[in-house]
Amino acid sequence: MKKLPVKIGIGAFIAIVALIVIFNCFTIVQAGHTGVVVTLGRVNDNVLQEGLHFKIPFVQQVVMIDNRITKLEVGTEAFSKDLQTVETILAINYRVDTSKSYSIYKNIGKDYETVLVVPAVNEVLKATTALYTAEESVTNRSLISDGLVSGLNEKLNEIGLYVTDVNIVNYDFSEAYINAIEEKQVAQQKLLKAETEKQTAITNAEAEAEALKIKAQAEAEANAIVAASITDALVNYNKIEKWDGSLPQVTGGSTIVDLTDEEGQ
């Protein structure tokens, strides 16, 4: 009777060991990943694609490599063309080529982001930033982003890493440069205001001169019309209308000659 529990215990142990062995005979590669097979420390050239796969238990290990697009944020300091310090934060999207998962793991390991991607980002960003002045860096973000994508792919594609997008999250400059920019903006605003006021004054002066010109022309035309209408007949008529019937008297010394009497004689 004592042997029965022992047999049950041995049987349970064997069953557990068998289950462990069975479970270790298979591996599942999740979607968006590849499996790098390592046999007793040696990396196999072929990689496992998504799905269920057999492996030799306790002899082979499957390392999962994420081939989906991965987002990396890098902050670094560089110098612009005009020697201004530019602190930049970048958001980089990249992925691992499925066909080169094994070589990346074999030559670099799983920490390829720290070993390869980050240093490449710092190097390419510094080279690209040096092509533009600090002010141009702000106004040409999209152009710089495109240059970073191109430069990073040139360095990383051969290894099996592909950069799909680079976004410039933030630019930060020294306090002295920011103050200089603000002073420049204030000066430009004052200049613009002065030019606007000058142009307004010129426009108003031109409008006033034109109004005076039009008024003078109108007065001249009116005077011309009046002058043209004053004939000798009209002048004589006005004289007759205003005459009271008395002839002028001529005074000569102490004698007064009455022209009316002479005409009566």
Side-chain angles (χ1 to χ4, degrees):
M1 294 294 292
K2 290 182 181 181
K3 292 181 178 181
L4 184 60
V6 174
K7 290 181 178 180
I8 293 174
I10 294 173
F13 175 77
I14 294 173
I16 292 171
V17 171
L19 288 173
I20 293 174
V21 171
I22 292 171
F23 281 126
N24 275 276
C25 288
F26 299 95
T27 187
I28 297 175
V29 178
Q30 301 293 334
H33 293 72
T34 48
V36 177
V37 180
V38 181
T39 304
L40 297 177
R42 182 178 63 85
V43 179
N44 295 3
D45 290 349
N46 64 307
V47 295
L48 304 179
Q49 302 299 323
E50 302 169 4
L52 179 65
H53 299 274
F54 174 80
K55 68 181 182 70
I56 302 173
F58 310 112
V59 175
Q60 290 183 326
Q61 175 190 5
V62 178
V63 179
M64 300 299 172
I65 301 296
D66 193 345
N67 300 107
R68 297 171 298 180
I69 293 178
T70 302
K71 182 177 180 180
L72 168 67
E73 191 168 283
V74 178
T76 189
E77 184 178 277
F79 292 96
S80 63
K81 188 177 180 180
D82 53 349
L83 301 180
Q84 295 295 329
T85 303
V86 185
E87 294 183 1
T88 309
I89 299 177
L90 300 177
I92 300 101
N93 293 334
Y94 75 95
R95 65 177 179 84
V96 178
D97 184 2
T98 56
S99 64
K100 294 187 177 181
S101 295
Y102 78 92
S103 63
I104 290 176
Y105 180 76
K106 180 178 181 179
N107 297 318
I108 303 161
K110 292 196 70 174
D111 198 19
Y112 49 82
E113 183 172 278
T114 302
V115 176
L116 286 179
V117 182
V118 174
V121 171
N122 288 325
E123 180 182 348
V124 173
L125 176 62
K126 289 178 180 179
T128 304
T129 302
L131 299 175
Y132 301 89
T133 65
E135 187 173 355
E136 289 171 343
S137 298
V138 176
T139 58
N140 293 281
R141 283 197 179 201
S142 59
L143 189 63
I144 294 174
S145 294
D146 293 341
L148 291 172
V149 172
S150 177
L152 287 170
N153 280 324
E154 187 176 342
K155 292 186 68 68
L156 299 175
N157 282 177
E158 187 176 353
I159 301 170
L161 298 171
Y162 290 84
V163 175
T164 59
D165 192 27
V166 175
N167 291 311
I168 300 172
V169 178
N170 185 47
Y171 274 134
D172 195 12
F173 304 96
S174 66
E175 186 175 351
Y177 181 75
I178 293 174
N179 292 336
I181 290 295
E182 291 177 350
E183 291 174 0
K184 180 181 177 181
Q185 290 175 342
V186 170
Q188 288 176 337
Q189 290 173 355
K190 288 182 178 178
L191 178 61
L192 179 61
K193 182 180 179 181
E195 289 178 350
T196 302
E197 291 176 348
K198 179 181 177 181
Q199 188 60 44
T200 301
I202 292 173
T203 302
N204 292 338
E206 290 176 347
E208 184 177 353
E210 184 65 22
L212 291 174
K213 181 180 177 181
I214 293 172
K215 181 180 179 181
Q217 289 176 347
E219 290 178 351
E221 291 175 359
N223 292 334
I225 293 171
V226 172
S229 66
I230 300 175
T231 62
D232 291 342
L234 179 60
V235 171
N236 292 332
Y237 176 78
N238 286 334
K239 288 180 179 179
I240 294 170
E241 284 292 316
K242 295 179 180 179
W243 185 43
D244 59 1
S246 299
L247 291 175
Q249 294 178 341
V250 180
T251 303
S254 60
T255 305
I256 299 175
V257 180
D258 191 343
L259 295 178
T260 305
D261 292 340
E262 291 181 358
E263 287 181 359
Q265 295 176 356

